[in-house]
Amino acid sequence: MLTSSRNLALLTFIALATAACTEQADVVPATTAFAATTTTVAPAVESTTSVPETTTAPETTVAETTTTVPETTTAPTTTIAATGDPTTVSTEYFLGGNSAGWLYLGRWTGSAWETDRDENQDLREPAAAAGDDLVAHELDIEPRPSSIEGFGAACAADGRLGPVLTPTASPPAGAANYQSIAFPADWSTQPRPVALVEANVASYVEAGQAAFDDFGIDTSTGAIEQLVVADLDGDGDTEALVAFDGDGFSALLLVDANSGESITLARSVEATVTPTTVLEGDEPGETTTTPADTFRTLAVVDLNGDGRFEVVVQSFVGDSGAVTVNTYNGSAVTPVLTAGC
């Protein structure tokens, strides 16, 4: 167990920072079905020596767990409240990862979000050109200026091209497909601190387990694999983005540390199918297993200049992956953009 002084350090920092069967929200790749769900849990219990936590139903207080901020975690020093006034300039977004070209995600038109595909599901062409300046973002790294040098393969599966940026994206971690999101911006894209935190918070583990209650699966192997904290909507309260994985399942939760409300942004479970009927004389079909998608927060960034953070989430399984942009208004999550390869 860590000392009280380190606990106090985290508490102070957070105060400042203040298919498988797969579900997310409504804007998704064709292979994924989304449905955000909300669960109200007991408010966090504050302590002078540990991090406030939420408690999932039943409404009982769970003993708190030591949490520390890694020494490599940095955050902006400026704090800007959400203005609610987004830019009126068209802004295109690109995803950087395993390919040389960055994949077009969609854009903010100046008044609304527009996906990478039109009403006929045909791909739209971005207007970005060589020489354009963008700002690349990823977790735990300061935003970095980049420029478009040319265009290269962004999706080998269908031949899509995308801009080649210098500097390019960091290599994706583990089996992930993407690591960065880049776009032009003349506003503060990180108006409040964002922290990637090392933690094993017991109440967040319970919230992750509760997300799969209706599946009736064993979630005892589940653990927190990623924890990101930030004041997403600029109201002074801290939200936690919790990636919870186990054997054959994965979920991403948004937890309000003050109200105790937990929203399931996405979840997925491994699916095993065994044919139950065959024609007379035929051999029984083989059992097939579809692995669960894995979910991670790719970035927490203000994409359209309104002072509120968007939550950029990636899902991946095997060689395929997708990214979804979610807005959060303090009570509800809305998916607005998605793209994948």
Side-chain angles (χ1 to χ4, degrees):
M1 181 172 293
L2 300 177
T3 63
S4 296
S5 62
R6 294 182 68 180
N7 291 333
L8 282 170
L10 176 62
L11 185 61
T12 301
F13 180 85
I14 290 181
L16 290 172
T18 335
C21 184
T22 301
E23 301 183 354
Q24 288 186 23
D26 292 332
V27 181
V28 292
T31 58
T32 308
F34 292 72
T37 58
T38 304
T39 303
T40 301
V41 297
V45 178
E46 295 194 16
S47 166
T48 59
T49 60
S50 56
V51 180
E53 302 185 359
T54 56
T55 306
T56 55
E59 296 186 356
T60 57
T61 301
V62 179
E64 300 180 354
T65 305
T66 301
T67 306
T68 61
V69 180
E71 294 181 1
T72 57
T73 298
T74 59
T77 57
T78 56
T79 300
I80 303 173
T83 65
D85 298 320
T87 181
T88 58
V89 176
S90 174
T91 306
E92 296 179 336
Y93 310 103
F94 299 91
L95 301 169
N98 288 324
S99 300
W102 289 52
L103 187 72
Y104 181 50
L105 173 60
R107 70 174 180 134
W108 171 256
T109 65
S111 60
W113 301 98
E114 180 185 88
T115 65
D116 67 330
R117 295 176 183 270
D118 62 21
E119 60 274 9
N120 297 318
Q121 293 303 302
D122 294 325
L123 288 166
R124 292 187 168 102
E125 290 291 333
D132 287 355
D133 293 325
L134 308 180
V135 181
H137 302 75
E138 57 189 83
L139 280 180
D140 215 24
I141 293 179
E142 291 290 329
R144 64 179 184 274
S146 300
S147 61
I148 299 177
E149 284 199 336
F151 292 83
C155 180
D158 58 18
R160 268 179 285 175
L161 300 179
V164 176
L165 301 189
T166 301
T168 189
S170 303
N177 295 80
Y178 302 102
Q179 184 73 9
S180 307
I181 182 169
F183 56 97
D186 60 2
W187 59 88
S188 174
T189 58
Q190 298 268 259
R192 292 171 297 281
V194 177
L196 179 62
V197 178
E198 299 261 346
N200 184 25
V201 183
S203 59
Y204 292 174
V205 171
E206 289 196 358
Q209 293 173 331
F212 296 96
D213 280 350
D214 56 328
F215 282 99
I217 62 175
D218 179 10
T219 56
S220 61
T221 61
I224 296 173
E225 298 297 340
Q226 184 194 56
L227 178 58
V228 179
V229 294
D231 176 6
L232 297 178
D233 56 340
D235 65 354
D237 296 338
T238 298
E239 284 79 37
L241 297 165
V242 183
F244 180 76
D245 297 351
D247 292 340
F249 58 89
S250 178
L252 185 69
L253 312 178
L254 187 158
V255 181
D256 187 303
N258 288 339
S259 71
E261 185 175 78
S262 174
I263 301 174
T264 302
L265 300 183
R267 61 179 183 170
S268 181
V269 298
E270 181 180 82
T272 299
V273 178
T274 301
T276 56
T277 59
V278 294
L279 296 176
E280 185 176 354
D282 286 351
E283 295 292 329
E286 294 185 0
T287 297
T288 59
T289 299
T290 302
D293 290 278
T294 298
F295 304 102
R296 293 290 184 270
T297 300
L298 185 147
V300 177
V301 59
D302 180 4
L303 292 177
N304 66 354
D306 65 356
R308 297 185 177 91
F309 281 127
E310 276 70 51
V311 179
V312 185
V313 177
Q314 67 171 317
S315 61
F316 49 92
V317 59
D319 294 331
S320 63
V323 171
T324 300
V325 171
N326 301 277
T327 62
Y328 177 65
N329 64 5
S331 60
V333 172
T334 303
V336 293
L337 298 175
T338 194
C341 176

